[in-house]
Coordinates of all heavy atoms in Angstrom, one line a residue:
T4 N 82.0 -191.2 16.6 CA 82.7 -190.3 17.5 C 81.7 -189.6 18.5 O 80.5 -189.6 18.2 CB 83.4 -189.1 16.8 OG1 82.5 -188.3 16.2 CG2 84.4 -189.7 15.7
A5 N 82.2 -189.1 19.6 CA 81.4 -188.4 20.6 C 80.7 -187.2 19.9 O 79.5 -187.0 20.2 CB 82.2 -188.0 21.8
A6 N 81.4 -186.5 19.1 CA 80.8 -185.3 18.5 C 79.7 -185.7 17.5 O 78.6 -185.1 17.5 CB 81.9 -184.6 17.7
A7 N 79.9 -186.8 16.8 CA 78.8 -187.3 15.9 C 77.6 -187.8 16.7 O 76.5 -187.5 16.3 CB 79.3 -188.4 15.0
W8 N 77.8 -188.5 17.8 CA 76.7 -188.9 18.7 C 76.0 -187.7 19.2 O 74.7 -187.7 19.2 CB 77.3 -189.8 19.8 CG 76.2 -190.4 20.6 CD1 75.6 -191.6 20.4 CD2 75.5 -189.8 21.7 NE1 74.6 -191.8 21.3 CE2 74.5 -190.7 22.2 CE3 75.6 -188.6 22.4 CZ2 73.7 -190.5 23.2 CZ3 74.7 -188.3 23.4 CH2 73.8 -189.3 23.9
I9 N 76.7 -186.7 19.7 CA 76.0 -185.5 20.2 C 75.2 -184.8 19.1 O 74.0 -184.5 19.4 CB 77.0 -184.5 20.8 CG1 77.6 -185.2 22.1 CG2 76.4 -183.2 21.1 CD1 78.8 -184.4 22.7
R10 N 75.7 -184.7 17.9 CA 75.0 -184.0 16.8 C 73.7 -184.8 16.5 O 72.7 -184.3 16.2 CB 75.8 -183.9 15.6 CG 76.8 -182.7 15.6 CD 77.4 -182.5 14.2 NE 78.1 -183.6 13.7 CZ 79.4 -183.9 14.0 NH1 80.1 -183.2 14.9 NH2 80.0 -185.0 13.5
R11 N 73.8 -186.1 16.6 CA 72.7 -187.0 16.2 C 71.6 -187.0 17.3 O 70.4 -187.1 17.0 CB 73.2 -188.4 15.9 CG 72.0 -189.3 15.5 CD 72.5 -190.7 15.2 NE 73.3 -190.6 13.9 CZ 74.0 -191.7 13.5 NH1 74.0 -192.8 14.1 NH2 74.7 -191.5 12.3
N12 N 72.0 -186.9 18.6 CA 71.1 -187.1 19.7 C 70.7 -185.9 20.5 O 69.8 -186.0 21.2 CB 71.7 -188.2 20.6 CG 71.8 -189.5 20.0 OD1 70.8 -190.2 19.8 ND2 73.0 -189.9 19.6
A13 N 71.4 -184.8 20.3 CA 71.1 -183.6 21.0 C 69.8 -182.9 20.5 O 69.6 -182.9 19.3 CB 72.2 -182.6 21.0
R14 N 69.0 -182.4 21.4 CA 67.7 -181.8 21.0 C 67.9 -180.3 21.1 O 68.7 -179.8 21.9 CB 66.6 -182.3 21.8 CG 66.3 -183.7 21.6 CD 65.0 -184.1 22.2 NE 64.7 -185.5 21.8 CZ 64.7 -186.5 22.7 NH1 64.9 -186.3 23.9 NH2 64.4 -187.7 22.3
S15 N 67.1 -179.5 20.4 CA 67.1 -178.1 20.5 C 66.7 -177.6 21.9 O 65.8 -178.2 22.6 CB 66.0 -177.5 19.5 OG 65.9 -176.1 19.8
L16 N 67.3 -176.6 22.4 CA 67.0 -176.0 23.7 C 66.4 -174.6 23.5 O 66.4 -173.8 24.4 CB 68.3 -175.9 24.6 CG 68.8 -177.3 25.1 CD1 70.1 -177.1 25.8 CD2 67.7 -178.0 25.9
S17 N 65.9 -174.4 22.3 CA 65.3 -173.1 22.0 C 64.1 -172.9 23.0 O 63.3 -173.8 23.2 CB 64.8 -173.1 20.6 OG 64.2 -171.9 20.2
G18 N 64.1 -171.7 23.5 CA 63.1 -171.3 24.5 C 63.4 -171.8 25.9 O 62.6 -171.5 26.8
K19 N 64.5 -172.4 26.1 CA 64.9 -172.9 27.5 C 66.0 -172.0 28.0 O 66.9 -171.6 27.3 CB 65.4 -174.4 27.4 CG 64.4 -175.3 26.9 CD 63.2 -175.5 27.8 CE 62.3 -176.6 27.2 NZ 61.1 -176.8 28.0
T20 N 66.0 -171.8 29.3 CA 67.0 -171.1 30.0 C 67.9 -172.0 30.8 O 67.4 -172.8 31.6 CB 66.4 -170.0 30.9 OG1 65.7 -169.1 30.1 CG2 67.5 -169.2 31.6
V21 N 69.2 -171.9 30.6 CA 70.2 -172.8 31.3 C 71.2 -171.9 32.0 O 71.8 -171.0 31.4 CB 70.9 -173.7 30.3 CG1 71.9 -174.6 31.1 CG2 70.0 -174.5 29.5
A22 N 71.3 -172.1 33.3 CA 72.3 -171.4 34.2 C 73.5 -172.4 34.4 O 73.3 -173.5 34.7 CB 71.7 -171.0 35.5
V23 N 74.7 -171.8 34.2 CA 75.9 -172.6 34.3 C 76.8 -172.0 35.3 O 77.3 -170.8 35.1 CB 76.6 -172.8 33.0 CG1 77.9 -173.7 33.1 CG2 75.7 -173.4 31.9
S24 N 77.2 -172.7 36.4 CA 78.2 -172.1 37.3 C 79.6 -172.5 36.8 O 79.7 -173.5 36.1 CB 78.0 -172.6 38.8 OG 78.3 -174.0 38.9
G25 N 80.5 -171.6 37.1 CA 81.9 -171.9 36.6 C 81.9 -171.8 35.1 O 82.6 -172.5 34.5
A26 N 81.2 -170.8 34.6 CA 80.9 -170.8 33.1 C 82.1 -170.4 32.3 O 82.1 -170.8 31.1 CB 79.8 -169.7 32.9
T27 N 83.2 -169.8 32.9 CA 84.3 -169.4 32.0 C 85.5 -170.4 32.1 O 86.4 -170.2 31.3 CB 84.8 -168.0 32.4 OG1 85.3 -168.0 33.7 CG2 83.7 -167.0 32.2
G28 N 85.4 -171.4 32.9 CA 86.5 -172.4 33.0 C 86.4 -173.3 31.9 O 85.5 -173.2 31.0
G29 N 87.3 -174.3 31.9 CA 87.3 -175.3 30.8 C 86.0 -176.0 30.4 O 85.5 -175.9 29.4
I30 N 85.5 -176.8 31.4 CA 84.3 -177.5 31.2 C 83.1 -176.5 31.0 O 82.2 -176.7 30.2 CB 84.0 -178.5 32.3 CG1 85.1 -179.6 32.2 CG2 82.6 -179.1 32.2 CD1 85.1 -180.6 33.4
G31 N 83.0 -175.5 31.9 CA 81.9 -174.6 31.8 C 81.9 -173.8 30.5 O 80.8 -173.6 29.9
N32 N 83.0 -173.4 30.0 CA 83.1 -172.7 28.7 C 82.6 -173.6 27.6 O 81.8 -173.2 26.8 CB 84.6 -172.3 28.5 CG 84.8 -171.5 27.3 OD1 84.5 -171.9 26.2 ND2 85.4 -170.3 27.4
A33 N 83.1 -174.9 27.6 CA 82.6 -175.8 26.6 C 81.1 -176.1 26.7 O 80.4 -176.2 25.7 CB 83.4 -177.2 26.7
L34 N 80.6 -176.2 27.9 CA 79.2 -176.4 28.1 C 78.4 -175.2 27.5 O 77.4 -175.4 26.8 CB 78.8 -176.5 29.6 CG 79.0 -177.8 30.3 CD1 78.9 -177.7 31.8 CD2 78.0 -178.8 29.7
C35 N 78.9 -174.0 27.8 CA 78.2 -172.8 27.3 C 78.2 -172.7 25.8 O 77.2 -172.4 25.2 CB 78.8 -171.5 27.9 SG 78.5 -171.2 29.6
R36 N 79.3 -173.1 25.2 CA 79.4 -173.1 23.7 C 78.4 -174.2 23.1 O 77.7 -173.9 22.2 CB 80.8 -173.4 23.3 CG 81.8 -172.3 23.6 CD 83.2 -172.6 23.1 NE 84.1 -171.5 23.5 CZ 84.1 -170.3 22.9 NH1 83.3 -170.0 21.9 NH2 84.9 -169.3 23.4
H37 N 78.4 -175.3 23.7 CA 77.5 -176.4 23.2 C 76.0 -176.0 23.4 O 75.2 -176.1 22.5 CB 77.8 -177.7 24.0 CG 76.9 -178.8 23.5 ND1 77.0 -179.4 22.2 CD2 75.9 -179.4 24.1 CE1 76.1 -180.3 22.1 NE2 75.4 -180.4 23.2
L38 N 75.7 -175.4 24.6 CA 74.3 -175.0 24.9 C 73.9 -173.9 24.0 O 72.7 -173.8 23.5 CB 74.2 -174.6 26.3 CG 74.4 -175.8 27.3 CD1 74.6 -175.2 28.7 CD2 73.2 -176.8 27.2
A39 N 74.8 -172.9 23.7 CA 74.5 -171.8 22.8 C 74.1 -172.4 21.4 O 73.2 -172.0 20.7 CB 75.6 -170.9 22.7
G40 N 74.9 -173.4 21.0 CA 74.7 -174.0 19.7 C 73.3 -174.8 19.6 O 72.8 -174.9 18.5
L41 N 72.8 -175.2 20.8 CA 71.5 -175.8 20.8 C 70.4 -174.8 21.0 O 69.2 -175.2 21.0 CB 71.5 -176.8 22.0 CG 72.4 -178.0 21.8 CD1 72.3 -178.9 23.1 CD2 72.0 -178.8 20.6
G42 N 70.7 -173.5 21.1 CA 69.7 -172.5 21.1 C 69.2 -172.1 22.5 O 68.2 -171.3 22.6
A43 N 69.9 -172.5 23.5 CA 69.5 -172.1 24.9 C 69.8 -170.7 25.2 O 70.7 -170.1 24.7 CB 70.3 -173.0 25.9
R44 N 69.0 -170.1 26.1 CA 69.3 -168.8 26.7 C 70.2 -169.1 27.8 O 69.9 -170.0 28.6 CB 68.0 -168.1 27.2 CG 68.2 -166.8 27.8 CD 66.9 -166.2 28.3 NE 67.2 -164.9 28.9 CZ 67.7 -164.7 30.1 NH1 67.9 -165.7 30.9 NH2 67.9 -163.5 30.5
L45 N 71.3 -168.4 28.0 CA 72.3 -168.7 29.0 C 72.4 -167.7 30.1 O 72.3 -166.5 29.9 CB 73.7 -168.8 28.4 CG 73.9 -169.9 27.3 CD1 75.3 -169.8 26.7 CD2 73.6 -171.3 27.9
I46 N 72.6 -168.2 31.3 CA 72.9 -167.4 32.5 C 74.3 -167.9 33.0 O 74.4 -169.0 33.4 CB 71.9 -167.5 33.6 CG1 70.5 -167.0 33.1 CG2 72.4 -166.6 34.8 CD1 69.4 -167.1 34.1
L47 N 75.3 -167.1 32.8 CA 76.7 -167.5 33.2 C 76.9 -167.1 34.7 O 76.8 -165.9 35.0 CB 77.7 -166.8 32.3 CG 77.9 -167.4 30.9 CD1 76.7 -167.3 30.1 CD2 79.1 -166.7 30.3
L48 N 77.0 -168.0 35.5 CA 77.3 -167.8 36.9 C 78.8 -168.0 37.1 O 79.3 -169.1 37.0 CB 76.5 -168.8 37.8 CG 75.0 -168.9 37.6 CD1 74.5 -170.2 38.2 CD2 74.4 -167.7 38.1
D49 N 79.5 -166.9 37.4 CA 80.9 -166.9 37.5 C 81.5 -165.8 38.3 O 80.8 -164.7 38.4 CB 81.5 -166.8 36.0 CG 82.9 -167.4 36.0 OD1 83.9 -166.7 36.2 OD2 83.0 -168.6 35.7
R50 N 82.6 -166.0 38.9 CA 83.2 -165.0 39.8 C 83.9 -163.9 39.0 O 84.2 -162.8 39.4 CB 84.1 -165.6 40.8 CG 85.3 -166.2 40.2 CD 86.2 -166.9 41.3 NE 87.3 -167.7 40.6 CZ 88.0 -168.5 41.3 NH1 87.9 -168.6 42.6 NH2 89.0 -169.1 40.6
N51 N 84.3 -164.2 37.7 CA 85.0 -163.3 36.9 C 84.1 -162.6 35.8 O 83.8 -163.2 34.8 CB 86.2 -164.0 36.2 CG 87.1 -163.0 35.5 OD1 86.7 -162.0 34.9 ND2 88.4 -163.3 35.6
T52 N 83.6 -161.4 36.2 CA 82.7 -160.7 35.3 C 83.3 -160.4 34.0 O 82.6 -160.6 32.9 CB 82.2 -159.4 36.0 OG1 81.6 -159.7 37.2 CG2 81.2 -158.7 35.1
E53 N 84.5 -160.0 33.9 CA 85.2 -159.7 32.7 C 85.2 -160.9 31.7 O 84.9 -160.8 30.5 CB 86.6 -159.1 32.9 CG 87.3 -158.6 31.7 CD 88.6 -158.0 32.0 OE1 88.7 -157.2 33.0 OE2 89.6 -158.3 31.3
K54 N 85.6 -162.0 32.3 CA 85.7 -163.2 31.4 C 84.3 -163.7 31.0 O 84.1 -164.1 29.8 CB 86.3 -164.4 32.2 CG 87.8 -164.4 32.3 CD 88.3 -165.5 33.1 CE 89.5 -166.2 32.5 NZ 89.9 -167.3 33.4
S55 N 83.3 -163.5 31.8 CA 81.9 -163.9 31.5 C 81.4 -163.0 30.3 O 80.8 -163.5 29.3 CB 81.0 -163.7 32.7 OG 81.2 -164.7 33.6
L56 N 81.6 -161.7 30.4 CA 81.2 -160.8 29.4 C 81.9 -161.0 28.1 O 81.3 -160.9 27.0 CB 81.3 -159.3 29.9 CG 80.4 -159.0 31.1 CD1 80.7 -157.5 31.5 CD2 79.0 -159.2 30.8
S57 N 83.2 -161.4 28.2 CA 84.0 -161.7 27.0 C 83.4 -163.0 26.3 O 83.3 -163.0 25.1 CB 85.4 -161.9 27.4 OG 86.2 -162.3 26.2
L58 N 83.1 -164.0 27.1 CA 82.6 -165.2 26.6 C 81.2 -164.9 25.9 O 80.9 -165.5 24.8 CB 82.5 -166.3 27.7 CG 81.9 -167.6 27.2 CD1 82.6 -168.2 26.1 CD2 81.8 -168.6 28.4
I59 N 80.4 -164.2 26.6 CA 79.1 -163.8 26.0 C 79.3 -163.1 24.6 O 78.6 -163.5 23.7 CB 78.3 -162.9 27.0 CG1 77.8 -163.8 28.2 CG2 77.1 -162.3 26.2 CD1 77.2 -163.0 29.3
A60 N 80.2 -162.2 24.6 CA 80.5 -161.5 23.3 C 80.9 -162.5 22.2 O 80.5 -162.4 21.1 CB 81.5 -160.4 23.5
Q61 N 81.8 -163.4 22.6 CA 82.3 -164.4 21.6 C 81.2 -165.3 21.1 O 81.0 -165.5 19.9 CB 83.4 -165.3 22.3 CG 84.7 -164.6 22.6 CD 85.6 -165.5 23.4 OE1 85.5 -166.8 23.4 NE2 86.5 -164.9 24.1
L62 N 80.3 -165.7 22.1 CA 79.2 -166.6 21.7 C 78.2 -165.9 20.8 O 77.7 -166.4 19.9 CB 78.6 -167.2 23.0 CG 79.4 -168.1 23.8 CD1 78.7 -168.5 25.1 CD2 79.7 -169.4 23.0
Q63 N 78.0 -164.6 21.1 CA 77.0 -163.8 20.3 C 77.6 -163.6 18.9 O 76.8 -163.4 18.0 CB 76.6 -162.5 21.0 CG 75.7 -162.8 22.2 CD 75.4 -161.6 23.0 OE1 76.2 -160.7 23.2 NE2 74.2 -161.6 23.6
G64 N 78.9 -163.6 18.8 CA 79.5 -163.5 17.5 C 79.3 -164.7 16.7 O 79.1 -164.6 15.5
E65 N 79.2 -165.9 17.3 CA 79.0 -167.1 16.7 C 77.5 -167.4 16.5 O 77.0 -168.0 15.5 CB 79.6 -168.3 17.4 CG 81.1 -168.3 17.5 CD 81.6 -169.4 18.4 OE1 81.1 -170.5 18.3 OE2 82.5 -169.1 19.2
Y66 N 76.7 -167.0 17.5 CA 75.3 -167.2 17.5 C 74.6 -165.8 17.7 O 74.2 -165.5 18.9 CB 74.9 -168.2 18.6 CG 75.7 -169.5 18.5 CD1 76.8 -169.7 19.3 CD2 75.3 -170.5 17.6 CE1 77.5 -170.9 19.3 CE2 76.1 -171.6 17.5 CZ 77.1 -171.8 18.4 OH 77.9 -173.0 18.3
P67 N 74.3 -165.1 16.7 CA 73.8 -163.7 16.8 C 72.5 -163.6 17.6 O 72.2 -162.6 18.2 CB 73.6 -163.2 15.4 CG 74.6 -164.1 14.6 CD 74.6 -165.4 15.3
D68 N 71.7 -164.6 17.6 CA 70.4 -164.6 18.3 C 70.5 -165.0 19.8 O 69.5 -165.0 20.5 CB 69.4 -165.5 17.6 CG 69.0 -165.0 16.2 OD1 69.1 -163.8 16.0 OD2 68.7 -165.8 15.3
L69 N 71.7 -165.3 20.2 CA 71.9 -165.8 21.6 C 71.5 -164.7 22.6 O 71.9 -163.6 22.5 CB 73.4 -166.2 21.8 CG 73.7 -166.6 23.3 CD1 73.1 -167.9 23.6 CD2 75.2 -166.6 23.5
Q70 N 70.7 -165.1 23.6 CA 70.4 -164.3 24.7 C 71.2 -164.9 25.9 O 71.1 -166.1 26.2 CB 68.9 -164.4 25.1 CG 68.0 -163.8 24.0 CD 66.6 -163.9 24.4 OE1 66.2 -164.2 25.5 NE2 65.7 -163.7 23.4
A71 N 72.0 -164.0 26.5 CA 72.9 -164.5 27.6 C 73.1 -163.3 28.6 O 73.1 -162.1 28.2 CB 74.2 -165.0 27.0
E72 N 73.3 -163.7 29.8 CA 73.7 -162.7 30.8 C 74.6 -163.3 31.8 O 74.8 -164.5 31.9 CB 72.4 -162.2 31.5 CG 71.7 -163.2 32.3 CD 70.5 -162.7 33.1 OE1 70.6 -161.8 33.9 OE2 69.4 -163.2 32.8
H73 N 75.2 -162.4 32.6 CA 76.1 -162.9 33.7 C 75.6 -162.5 35.0 O 75.0 -161.4 35.2 CB 77.5 -162.1 33.5 CG 78.3 -162.2 34.7 ND1 79.0 -163.3 35.1 CD2 78.6 -161.3 35.6 CE1 79.7 -163.1 36.2 NE2 79.5 -161.9 36.5
I74 N 75.7 -163.4 36.0 CA 75.4 -163.2 37.4 C 76.6 -163.5 38.1 O 77.2 -164.6 38.0 CB 74.2 -164.0 37.9 CG1 72.9 -163.6 37.2 CG2 74.1 -163.8 39.4 CD1 71.7 -164.4 37.6
H75 N 77.1 -162.6 38.9 CA 78.3 -162.8 39.7 C 78.1 -163.8 40.8 O 77.1 -163.8 41.5 CB 78.8 -161.5 40.4 CG 80.0 -161.6 41.2 ND1 81.1 -162.2 40.8 CD2 80.3 -161.3 42.5 CE1 82.1 -162.2 41.7 NE2 81.6 -161.7 42.8
L76 N 79.0 -164.8 40.8 CA 78.9 -165.9 41.8 C 80.3 -166.3 42.2 O 81.1 -166.8 41.3 CB 78.1 -167.1 41.3 CG 78.2 -168.4 42.1 CD1 77.5 -168.1 43.5 CD2 77.5 -169.5 41.4
D77 N 80.7 -166.1 43.4 CA 82.0 -166.6 44.0 C 81.6 -167.5 45.1 O 81.2 -167.0 46.2 CB 82.8 -165.4 44.4 CG 84.2 -165.8 44.8 OD1 84.4 -167.0 45.1 OD2 85.1 -164.9 44.9
L78 N 81.9 -168.8 45.0 CA 81.4 -169.8 45.9 C 82.2 -169.7 47.3 O 81.7 -170.3 48.3 CB 81.6 -171.2 45.4 CG 80.6 -171.5 44.2 CD1 80.9 -172.9 43.6 CD2 79.1 -171.4 44.7
V79 N 83.3 -169.0 47.3 CA 84.0 -168.8 48.6 C 83.5 -167.6 49.4 O 84.0 -167.3 50.5 CB 85.5 -168.8 48.5 CG1 86.0 -170.1 47.9 CG2 86.0 -167.7 47.7
D80 N 82.6 -166.8 48.8 CA 82.1 -165.6 49.4 C 80.6 -165.8 49.6 O 79.8 -165.6 48.6 CB 82.4 -164.4 48.4 CG 81.8 -163.1 48.9 OD1 81.5 -163.0 50.1 OD2 81.7 -162.2 48.0
M81 N 80.1 -166.1 50.8 CA 78.7 -166.4 51.1 C 77.8 -165.3 50.7 O 76.7 -165.6 50.2 CB 78.5 -166.9 52.5 CG 79.1 -168.3 52.8 SD 78.6 -169.5 51.5 CE 76.9 -169.6 51.8
P82 N 78.1 -164.0 50.9 CA 77.2 -163.0 50.4 C 77.0 -163.0 48.9 O 75.9 -162.7 48.4 CB 77.9 -161.7 50.9 CG 78.7 -162.1 52.1 CD 79.2 -163.5 51.8
S83 N 78.0 -163.4 48.2 CA 77.9 -163.5 46.7 C 77.0 -164.7 46.4 O 76.2 -164.5 45.5 CB 79.3 -163.8 46.1 OG 79.2 -164.2 44.8
V84 N 77.1 -165.8 47.1 CA 76.2 -166.9 46.9 C 74.8 -166.5 47.1 O 73.9 -166.8 46.3 CB 76.7 -168.1 47.7 CG1 75.7 -169.3 47.6 CG2 78.1 -168.6 47.4
D85 N 74.6 -165.8 48.2 CA 73.2 -165.4 48.6 C 72.6 -164.5 47.6 O 71.5 -164.6 47.1 CB 73.2 -164.7 50.0 CG 71.9 -164.4 50.5 OD1 71.0 -165.3 50.5 OD2 71.6 -163.2 50.8
A86 N 73.4 -163.5 47.1 CA 73.0 -162.6 46.1 C 72.7 -163.3 44.8 O 71.6 -163.0 44.1 CB 74.0 -161.5 45.9
A87 N 73.5 -164.2 44.4 CA 73.3 -164.9 43.1 C 72.0 -165.8 43.2 O 71.2 -165.8 42.3 CB 74.5 -165.8 42.8
A88 N 71.8 -166.4 44.4 CA 70.6 -167.2 44.6 C 69.3 -166.3 44.5 O 68.3 -166.7 43.9 CB 70.6 -167.9 45.9
R89 N 69.4 -165.2 45.1 CA 68.3 -164.2 45.0 C 68.0 -163.8 43.5 O 66.8 -163.7 43.1 CB 68.5 -163.0 45.9 CG 68.4 -163.3 47.3 CD 68.5 -162.1 48.2 NE 68.8 -162.5 49.5 CZ 69.0 -161.7 50.5 NH1 69.0 -160.4 50.3 NH2 69.2 -162.1 51.7
E90 N 69.1 -163.6 42.8 CA 68.9 -163.2 41.4 C 68.3 -164.4 40.6 O 67.4 -164.2 39.8 CB 70.3 -162.9 40.8 CG 70.8 -161.5 41.1 CD 69.9 -160.4 40.4 OE1 69.6 -160.6 39.2 OE2 69.7 -159.4 41.1
L91 N 68.7 -165.6 40.9 CA 68.2 -166.7 40.1 C 66.7 -167.0 40.5 O 66.0 -167.5 39.6 CB 69.0 -168.0 40.5 CG 70.4 -168.0 39.9 CD1 71.2 -169.2 40.4 CD2 70.4 -168.1 38.3
E92 N 66.3 -166.6 41.7 CA 64.9 -166.8 42.0 C 64.0 -165.9 41.2 O 62.8 -166.3 41.1 CB 64.7 -166.5 43.5 CG 65.2 -167.5 44.5 CD 65.0 -167.1 45.9 OE1 65.0 -165.9 46.2 OE2 64.9 -168.0 46.7
T93 N 64.5 -164.9 40.6 CA 63.7 -164.0 39.8 C 63.6 -164.4 38.3 O 62.9 -163.7 37.5 CB 64.2 -162.5 39.9 OG1 65.5 -162.5 39.2 CG2 64.4 -162.1 41.3
R94 N 64.3 -165.5 38.0 CA 64.3 -166.0 36.6 C 63.6 -167.3 36.5 O 63.7 -168.1 37.4 CB 65.7 -166.0 36.1 CG 66.2 -164.5 36.1 CD 67.5 -164.4 35.7 NE 68.1 -163.1 35.6 CZ 68.4 -162.2 36.5 NH1 67.8 -162.4 37.7 NH2 69.1 -161.2 36.3
A95 N 63.1 -167.6 35.3 CA 62.5 -168.9 35.1 C 63.6 -169.8 34.4 O 63.9 -169.6 33.3 CB 61.3 -168.8 34.1
I96 N 64.2 -170.6 35.3 CA 65.3 -171.4 34.8 C 64.9 -172.9 34.6 O 64.2 -173.4 35.4 CB 66.5 -171.4 35.9 CG1 67.0 -170.0 36.0 CG2 67.6 -172.4 35.5 CD1 67.9 -169.9 37.2
D97 N 65.2 -173.4 33.4 CA 64.8 -174.7 33.1 C 65.9 -175.7 33.5 O 65.5 -176.9 33.9 CB 64.6 -174.8 31.6 CG 63.5 -173.9 31.1 OD1 62.3 -174.2 31.5 OD2 63.7 -172.9 30.4
V98 N 67.2 -175.3 33.4 CA 68.2 -176.3 33.8 C 69.3 -175.5 34.6 O 69.6 -174.4 34.2 CB 68.9 -176.9 32.5 CG1 70.1 -177.8 32.9 CG2 67.9 -177.6 31.7
L99 N 69.8 -176.0 35.7 CA 70.9 -175.5 36.4 C 72.0 -176.5 36.4 O 71.9 -177.6 37.0 CB 70.4 -175.2 37.9 CG 71.5 -174.7 38.9 CD1 72.1 -173.4 38.4 CD2 70.9 -174.6 40.3
L100 N 73.1 -176.1 35.8 CA 74.3 -176.9 35.8 C 75.3 -176.4 36.8 O 75.9 -175.4 36.6 CB 74.9 -176.9 34.4 CG 74.0 -177.6 33.3 CD1 74.6 -177.3 31.9 CD2 73.8 -179.0 33.6
L101 N 75.5 -177.2 37.9 CA 76.5 -176.8 38.9 C 77.8 -177.4 38.6 O 78.2 -178.5 39.0 CB 76.0 -177.3 40.3 CG 74.6 -176.7 40.6 CD1 74.1 -177.4 41.9 CD2 74.6 -175.2 40.8
N102 N 78.6 -176.6 37.8 CA 79.9 -177.0 37.3 C 81.0 -176.6 38.2 O 82.1 -177.2 38.3 CB 80.0 -176.5 35.9 CG 81.4 -176.7 35.4 OD1 81.9 -177.8 35.2 ND2 82.1 -175.6 35.1
A103 N 80.8 -175.4 38.9 CA 81.9 -174.9 39.8 C 82.0 -175.5 41.1 O 80.9 -176.0 41.6 CB 81.8 -173.4 39.9

Side-chain angles (χ1 to χ4, degrees):
T4 67
W8 187 92
I9 290 170
R10 278 193 303 277
R11 181 178 290 174
N12 292 286
R14 295 194 174 111
S15 170
L16 291 176
S17 181
K19 302 290 184 186
T20 299
V21 181
V23 180
S24 70
T27 63
I30 293 172
N32 185 303
L34 280 169
C35 288
R36 290 180 183 287
H37 181 70
L38 295 166
L41 293 175
R44 179 182 183 278
L45 297 176
I46 300 175
L47 282 64
L48 304 167
D49 202 272
R50 65 183 174 189
N51 190 320
T52 301
E53 186 177 315
K54 280 179 139 179
S55 288
L56 296 178
S57 176
L58 178 56
I59 289 171
Q61 290 172 24
L62 292 173
Q63 287 174 330
E65 295 175 43
Y66 307 100
D68 295 331
L69 175 69
Q70 295 179 13
E72 66 177 300
H73 164 76
I74 295 176
H75 179 50
L76 172 63
D77 186 344
L78 293 175
V79 299
D80 177 20
M81 288 313 293
S83 168
V84 174
D85 185 54
R89 288 185 196 177
E90 281 290 318
L91 288 173
E92 286 179 332
T93 68
R94 296 181 178 57
I96 297 171
D97 298 292
V98 178
L99 174 61
L100 295 173
L101 300 173
N102 171 60

